[in-house]
Amino acid sequence: MINAVSQASSAYARTVNALDTTTDELDSATGMSASGGDFAAMMKNMVGNAIQNGHDAENMTAEGLNGSGDMTKIVTAVSNAQLALQTTTALRDRFVQAYQDVMRMSI
């Protein structure tokens, strides 16, 4: 049991580091910060917010598992994170579909 918990903790840490690296790569690739007024900056800001919602839900869940969290706040945080993930996934699917439609166009 303890081994499974440590493996899960390690996997979570690797995922968080990968997400942090991805947002840093977005900074360097676009050459701009999330406070800009263009589309890339807006998308980067939205992805950052979705990641932060996930972190908040994880923290609230951990507090709940320790017995110190408010159940209503925990459920709200997890629901917000779930909605952010669903929205991000739907946007990604729409962007991929739009790209595929453009690539299928004849010139």
Side-chain angles (χ1 to χ4, degrees):
M1 176 69 177
I2 293 175
N3 191 23
V5 172
S6 66
Q7 288 175 344
S9 176
S10 297
Y12 176 72
R14 285 192 305 271
T15 303
V16 168
N17 288 335
L19 290 175
D20 289 341
T21 302
T22 302
T23 55
D24 292 340
E25 289 172 359
L26 283 174
D27 276 341
S28 63
T30 60
M32 58 190 70
S33 65
S35 62
D38 62 358
F39 182 74
M42 179 190 69
M43 290 305 298
K44 183 182 181 298
N45 190 19
M46 289 174 56
V47 168
N49 288 341
I51 291 170
Q52 185 59 45
N53 282 342
H55 289 301
D56 292 344
E58 289 285 334
N59 292 335
M60 295 294 287
T61 303
E63 287 178 14
L65 291 174
N66 290 331
S68 62
D70 179 22
M71 189 58 78
T72 304
K73 290 181 182 178
I74 294 169
V75 171
T76 302
V78 170
S79 295
N80 287 341
Q82 182 181 11
L83 180 61
L85 179 62
Q86 288 173 346
T87 302
T88 303
T89 304
L91 285 173
R92 183 211 54 203
D93 292 344
R94 293 286 182 156
F95 288 136
V96 168
Q97 183 64 41
Y99 174 78
Q100 289 173 344
D101 289 344
V102 169
M103 295 308 292
R104 276 191 237 122
M105 289 181 184
S106 61
I107 297 178

